[in-house]
């Protein structure tokens, strides 16, 4: 495992800048997920892995890559919120499973499944962003959905991390309800290996039902 590098599209995140993202965020009601993540934190405390604190847990749906956050004015942000609302009005809330936990190349992630509703959500969100900002606004590479639990701050043995996760975190899965996405203006601290954000808006799924 090697130290994590935050990305802007396929480049390094520009120092000192924020980037707009669309995230799925766990709800307070997802108590089994909170327990799973808390147990994972305990299992990882002896490794140089910076945990993602509970308020900042997220699944990335998409990143807006054509401009940094500072030069996307409020009028354009609310145009994004409005368009996301239109596109997501016909998307019904759904349930996913978080886990198993995996020691990855640059940190610890939880697999997320099934793929289909998350992939469909990504497609819908990307279409909404491109409606407002054009096809060059979404250069973030499409990835298999996952939830990051911690970012590696230094090199460590991935096998040892995986062994600790598998043996020390039981059960290794938890359900999560997806009933909204969040437009957020994200700050990445490359040294501290942390992600935080200013919340722009929550956009519910299925508002047109």
């Amino acid at each position: 495992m090697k130290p994590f590098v935050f990305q802007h599209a396929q480049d390094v995140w520009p120092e000192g800048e924020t980037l707009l993202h669309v995230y799925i965020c766990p709800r307070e009601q997802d108590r089994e997920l909170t327990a799973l993540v808390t147990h994972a934190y305990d299992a990882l405390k002896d490794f140089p892995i910076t945990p993602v604190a509970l308020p900042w847990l997220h699944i990335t749906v998409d990143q807006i890559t054509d401009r940094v956050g500072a030069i996307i004015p409020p009028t354009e942000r609310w145009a994004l919120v409005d368009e996301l609302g239109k596109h997501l009005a016909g998307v019904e809330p759904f349930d996913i499973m978080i886990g198993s936990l995996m020691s990855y190349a640059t940190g610890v992630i939880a697999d997320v499944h099934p793929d289909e509703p998350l992939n469909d959500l990504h497609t819908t969100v990307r279409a909404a962003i491109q409606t407002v900002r054009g096809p060059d606004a979404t250069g973030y590479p499409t990835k298999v959905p996952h939830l990051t639990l911690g970012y590696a701050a230094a090199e460590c043995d991935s096998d040892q991390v995986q062994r600790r996760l598998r043996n020390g975190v039981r059960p290794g899965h938890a359900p999560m309800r997806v009933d909204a996405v969040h437009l957020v203006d994200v700050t990445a601290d490359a040294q501290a290996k942390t992600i935080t954000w200013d919340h722009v808006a929550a956009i519910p799924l299925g508002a047109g039902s």
Side-chain angles (χ1 to χ4, degrees), residues 66-67 71-81 132-133 183:
D66 63 329
R67 293 184 182 180
I71 56 175
I72 300 180
T75 52
E76 294 184 24
R77 295 179 181 215
W78 288 110
L80 284 166
V81 171
V132 175
R133 303 201 56 79
L183 182 64

Side-chain angles (χ1 to χ4, degrees), residues 171-203:
H173 304 78
M176 177 178 166
R177 181 73 168 169
V178 179
D179 59 12
V181 300
H182 300 263
L183 182 64
V184 291
D185 195 6
V186 180
T187 298
D189 188 323
Q191 299 302 314
K193 303 298 182 193
T194 58
I195 284 280
T196 57
W197 59 77
D198 290 325
H199 195 263
V200 178
I203 302 96

Side-chain angles (χ1 to χ4, degrees), residues 140-175:
Y140 192 70
T142 302
K143 301 178 180 179
V144 175
H146 65 276
L147 183 145
T148 299
L149 275 69
Y151 299 109
E155 292 189 5
C156 63
D157 189 323
S158 295
D159 289 345
Q160 290 186 22
V161 175
Q162 186 65 58
R163 189 175 298 113
R164 185 75 62 84
L165 290 169
R166 186 170 186 273
N167 294 331
V169 184
R170 310 298 296 177
H173 304 78

Side-chain angles (χ1 to χ4, degrees), residues 83-94 121 124-125 177-181 202-209:
E83 197 62 40
L84 285 164
K86 292 177 183 176
H87 276 71
L88 294 171
V91 177
E92 291 299 320
F94 56 91
L121 182 64
T124 302
V125 165
R177 181 73 168 169
V178 179
D179 59 12
V181 300
I203 302 96
L205 305 189
S209 299

Side-chain angles (χ1 to χ4, degrees), residues 1-178:
M1 189 181 294
K2 61 183 180 180
F4 184 83
V5 177
F6 294 105
Q7 284 187 288
H8 171 213
Q10 301 189 57
D11 298 319
V12 175
W13 193 297
E15 185 175 358
E17 299 288 356
T18 67
L19 298 172
L20 288 181
H21 286 70
V22 177
Y23 282 164
I24 299 168
C25 301
R27 312 166 310 150
E28 289 184 6
Q29 300 96 313
D30 296 317
R31 293 185 178 86
E32 292 177 66
L33 177 57
T34 299
L36 172 69
V37 172
T38 302
H39 292 155
Y41 294 164
D42 290 340
L44 296 172
K45 62 185 178 183
D46 296 328
F47 297 100
I49 298 171
T50 303
V52 179
L54 288 171
W56 309 117
L57 286 172
H58 62 277
I59 298 169
T60 300
V61 181
D62 216 338
Q63 181 189 84
I64 298 167
T65 56
D66 63 329
R67 293 184 182 180
V68 296
I71 56 175
I72 300 180
T75 52
E76 294 184 24
R77 295 179 181 215
W78 288 110
L80 284 166
V81 171
D82 182 62
E83 197 62 40
L84 285 164
K86 292 177 183 176
H87 276 71
L88 294 171
V91 177
E92 291 299 320
F94 56 91
D95 296 306
I96 56 176
M97 187 65 69
I98 306 296
S100 297
L101 308 183
M102 299 185 292
S103 175
Y104 210 58
T106 54
V108 171
I109 66 174
D111 198 10
V112 179
H113 53 94
D115 291 340
E116 289 77 12
L118 291 162
N119 290 340
D120 290 346
L121 182 64
H122 165 77
T123 299
T124 302
V125 165
R126 177 156 286 194
I129 294 169
Q130 291 182 349
T131 297
V132 175
R133 303 201 56 79
D136 296 331
T138 51
Y140 192 70
T142 302
K143 301 178 180 179
V144 175
H146 65 276
L147 183 145
T148 299
L149 275 69
Y151 299 109
E155 292 189 5
C156 63
D157 189 323
S158 295
D159 289 345
Q160 290 186 22
V161 175
Q162 186 65 58
R163 189 175 298 113
R164 185 75 62 84
L165 290 169
R166 186 170 186 273
N167 294 331
V169 184
R170 310 298 296 177
H173 304 78
M176 177 178 166
R177 181 73 168 169
V178 179

